[in-house]
Amino acid sequence: MRATRDAAARAPDAPAAPAPAAAPARRRRPRPGRWLPALVLPFVLIAVWQGAAMVLRPREWLLPSPAAIAGALWDDRGRLWFHAQATIATTLAGLAIAVGAGVLLALLIAWSRSAERAVYPWVVASQTVPVLAVAPLLVVWLDPEPAMLALVALVAFFPVVVAGVDGLRAADPLLARTVRTMGARPGWVWRHVLVPGALPGLFTGLRMAAVFAVTGAVVGEYVGAERGLGAFSKLTTGQFQTALTFAAVAWLALIGVALFAAVSALERLALPHRHRAVRRRTVRERMRRT
Amino acid sequence: MTRRRAAPSDGVLAHHPPHLAARGLRLAFPGRDGDVPVLDGVSLEVRPGELVALVGPSGSGKSTLLDVLAGLAEPDAGEVLIDGRPAPGRAGRLTLMPQRDALLPWQTVARNVATGPRLAGVARETADGEARAALARVGLEGFEDHYPHALSGGMRQRAALARTLLAGRGAWLLDEPFGALDALTRAGMQDLLLALWEEHRPSVLLVTHDLDEALVLADRVLVAGPRPARVAGVVEVTLPRPRRVEVSASAEFAALKGDLLALVRETGALA
Ligand SMILES: Nc1ncnc2c1ncn2[C@@H]1O[C@H](COP(=O)(O)OP(=O)(O)OP(=O)(O)O)[C@@H](O)[C@H]1O
Ligand SMILES: [Mg+2]
């Protein structure tokens, strides 16, 4: 052999050294400042609001000051918690129904063209139903409890179906076809290729469904319940106890954000770390190599 | 040394049926102005343990042919025989390595490579061990627990080759496996494929549009013209085995390449 050979020569794309399995050095650890940006906006708004309330002194039933709302949140915490429990229970139960039904429908629609033709238009049409108008009817037809669950499920199942169908359909067909040539049966392809491929999209739908579910529960309670934050805010506005209404709204916001965060946490568990890390990059990070 | 151009039906061995055979495959895709024929009576054979290359211009229907052979698409006419017998519902009997790597992004490299054994019902630990051994064989030790996106294009292609190695039960369909790689990496991969083929002796049909690659790797090179694809001619590659990529520097190689180029020109692919 004429050409000199370097003992260390290797294929051009071989690594300089075997990298450690998980490469933990690059992973971003949550810094204490992570939650700070989220607090800037409410802080500014509350400060402005409180200042305006102190200068303009509007009547309290018209616009209570943040301090008055904070007082209501604390003084009536027992009552608020009693109603919040009902709202949380309705939201979670309705959301569970919505996710179950939504995922099943998504599987069906993504699987078969005729199922898509028969079902999908009606899924879309269901979202044009004026919820406020049918809510009282639902309460009359069913009992208040199932009526509320139906309402939550009605508003929350839609994003699950759409995200699920698009997620399953967006899968790279090459992946499924390749594993089929290695002997994979349809069941295996569903489990290991189609569903994992659809999960990121599905979680987007779930996040939306979680927030929609809270709205659905409040509308239901407003129309047809005695317990729950929706019913409570109806009662308090009727009695001109506006600070308590705002306190209920604060609770609802908290429930919505908590549910959204819970779904995101679930996503972190469901998607393997590295795969997820790529997905969660910001648009700016995507334009660089990180 | 004998070189010849012949119809592909020549040279059928009497004793062993070809591992893979196609007879008169036709397929047309519906187009705006009527059907567009893509396969126009493709016939070919791959004997047991033989490495056959198919060269043809881009868009001539090579990937479509592999889909039909793999059982992912049904031809309009013609049949596919495996071990001499018609093979309807053959998906899963010939392992396809597609043009892109097609690794599952949500599984680690080792799990991806273990797909074949896992599907064959091998226990998890055993399959994992086989996958790690195969990865070491293709020079990817240390990357078993990485996800595919953390690998370079060439490394991903090697992982895909390792997966094919474990999944392919003796017959591989390789669709331009090294088409997207730079020349140096490609030469390394060709050497690797030659070594793996010598070790395992699978029956291989390799699609490529790199004439040198076809001659370095194959026992026979089939030439397809522009769409619709038909096998227009064959070059028997008489270069000695075992080979390495250096064989492409030999005078014999140059002569074979001359033959192959002449054949390709006849098909109209150079026009
Ligand atoms: N699903 C499809 N519908 C309609 N036409 C198709 C379809 N798939 C492929 N074709 C057409 O069939 C022809 C052959 O495609 P194919 O992918 O088999 O080519 P190829 O020989 O593999 O090309 P390349 O070397 O670029 O990979 C192309 O002209 C393409 O336009
Ligand atoms: Mg192709």
Side-chain angles (χ1 to χ4, degrees):
Chain A
M1 178 165 289
R2 276 158 295 150
T4 48
R5 202 161 23 141
D6 179 354
R10 51 176 108 224
D13 64 345
R26 277 267 215 82
R27 199 186 303 161
R28 260 178 229 138
R29 235 159 274 121
R31 277 164 291 129
R34 246 186 101 187
W35 296 100
L36 232 51
L39 300 178
V40 172
L41 200 60
F43 185 81
V44 170
L45 279 179
I46 289 172
V48 169
W49 183 354
Q50 182 68 35
M54 281 157 74
V55 174
L56 303 172
R57 303 193 155 277
R59 272 162 291 191
E60 183 158 324
W61 61 267
L62 200 58
L63 182 65
S65 71
I69 296 167
L73 270 171
W74 180 254
D75 295 338
D76 277 285
R77 60 186 181 280
R79 253 204 312 166
L80 282 164
W81 174 234
F82 171 77
H83 288 290
Q85 280 174 311
T87 305
I88 293 170
T90 306
T91 304
L92 288 181
L95 187 59
I97 296 171
V99 172
V103 167
L104 282 180
L105 277 170
L107 291 172
L108 184 71
I109 292 169
W111 173 250
S112 132
R113 178 81 53 202
S114 37
E116 179 190 5
R117 294 210 177 109
V119 177
Y120 215 174
W122 303 111
V123 170
V124 177
S126 76
Q127 296 307 294
T128 63
V129 170
V131 176
L132 273 173
V134 294
L137 289 174
L138 277 176
V139 174
V140 176
W141 294 338
L142 314 165
D143 283 332
E145 281 287 302
M148 246 157 296
L149 293 185
L151 215 59
V152 173
L154 176 68
V155 296
F157 91 110
F158 185 66
V160 180
V161 176
V162 175
V165 171
D166 284 2
L168 287 167
R169 291 254 170 105
D172 183 351
L174 195 65
L175 301 184
R177 284 194 273 146
T178 306
V179 297
R180 283 238 298 139
T181 71
M182 300 192 282
R185 309 252 135 244
W188 198 96
V189 178
W190 273 104
R191 225 188 110 202
H192 295 278
V193 183
L194 298 177
V195 170
L199 273 186
L202 184 67
F203 271 105
T204 303
L206 286 185
R207 268 195 285 267
M208 290 163 67
V211 177
F212 286 10
V214 181
T215 317
V218 172
V219 170
E221 289 167 351
Y222 199 89
V223 170
E226 267 138 42
R227 192 180 159 185
L229 291 169
F232 183 71
S233 43
K234 186 180 179 183
L235 181 80
T236 51
T237 31
Q239 298 171 341
F240 298 100
Q241 293 179 301
T242 315
L244 277 176
T245 313
F246 273 93
V249 170
W251 258 104
L252 286 170
L254 183 72
I255 295 171
V257 171
L259 265 179
F260 190 91
V263 174
S264 300
L266 209 63
E267 179 180 18
R268 239 159 303 178
L269 287 181
L271 302 185
H273 169 74
R274 294 298 287 161
H275 183 44
R276 190 194 73 241
V278 172
R279 242 179 70 74
R280 287 180 53 83
R281 280 180 196 160
T282 65
V283 173
R284 258 166 70 203
E285 284 164 352
R286 275 160 200 279
M287 294 187 213
R288 302 189 298 259
R289 179 141 191 162
T290 50
Chain B
M1 181 170 36
T2 56
R3 274 177 239 143
R4 71 205 165 91
R5 300 171 204 170
S9 51
D10 282 11
V12 178
L13 292 182
H15 308 298
H16 294 288
H19 197 153
L20 166 66
R23 304 256 181 265
L25 294 179
R26 278 173 200 287
L27 184 70
F29 284 116
R32 247 184 310 173
D33 320 308
D35 287 357
V36 182
V38 174
L39 303 183
D40 182 26
V42 176
S43 298
L44 58 82
E45 286 183 5
V46 182
R47 293 169 211 136
E50 189 183 30
L51 203 161
V52 175
L54 172 66
V55 298
S58 184
S60 58
K62 303 182 298 297
S63 296
T64 308
L65 172 65
L66 291 193
D67 277 354
V68 170
L69 294 177
L72 298 173
E74 273 310 307
D76 298 333
E79 62 176 349
V80 176
L81 308 173
I82 296 177
D83 296 325
R85 279 186 298 277
R90 66 193 158 278
R93 294 183 63 186
L94 307 166
T95 297
L96 176 68
M97 178 173 164
Q99 254 168 308
R100 289 184 286 122
D101 63 67
L103 298 169
L104 302 180
W106 43 85
Q107 292 188 355
T108 62
V109 172
R111 275 206 72 190
N112 265 294
V113 173
T115 300
R118 297 280 292 142
L119 283 170
V122 172
R124 197 184 201 100
E125 293 79 51
T126 320
D128 190 62
E130 285 178 34
R132 279 162 202 278
L135 280 167
R137 188 69 193 79
V138 300
L140 280 180
E141 56 274 90
F143 289 86
E144 294 88 348
D145 299 318
H146 281 56
Y147 285 91
H149 74 84
L151 268 53
S152 78
M155 288 156 75
R156 255 178 272 182
Q157 219 45 310
R158 287 196 224 178
L161 188 61
R163 178 171 72 165
T164 308
L165 173 69
L166 290 191
R169 301 163 206 169
W172 303 350
L173 305 172
L174 309 181
D175 193 354
E176 298 182 35
F178 317 133
L181 304 179
D182 65 274
L184 292 179
T185 311
R186 183 184 314 184
M189 294 286 289
Q190 288 165 353
D191 255 354
L192 177 61
L193 180 59
L194 282 170
L196 291 174
W197 182 79
E198 294 285 353
E199 263 170 56
H200 301 271
R201 275 315 189 103
S203 313
V204 180
L205 180 62
L206 172 111
V207 160
T208 176
H209 34 216
D210 179 340
L211 300 185
D212 286 28
E213 175 168 283
L215 290 171
V216 165
L217 297 176
D219 297 311
R220 280 184 302 144
V221 181
L222 313 180
V223 179
R227 198 188 65 204
R230 257 177 337 100
V231 178
V234 192
V235 171
E236 299 278 345
V237 184
T238 47
L239 301 167
R241 299 253 191 208
R243 291 182 209 152
R244 307 198 54 180
V245 287
E246 284 81 356
V247 75
S248 64
S250 68
E252 257 179 286
F253 186 92
L256 282 169
K257 190 163 177 192
D259 282 4
L260 187 53
L261 273 168
L263 192 50
V264 169
R265 188 175 288 283
E266 270 171 38
T267 66
L270 295 182

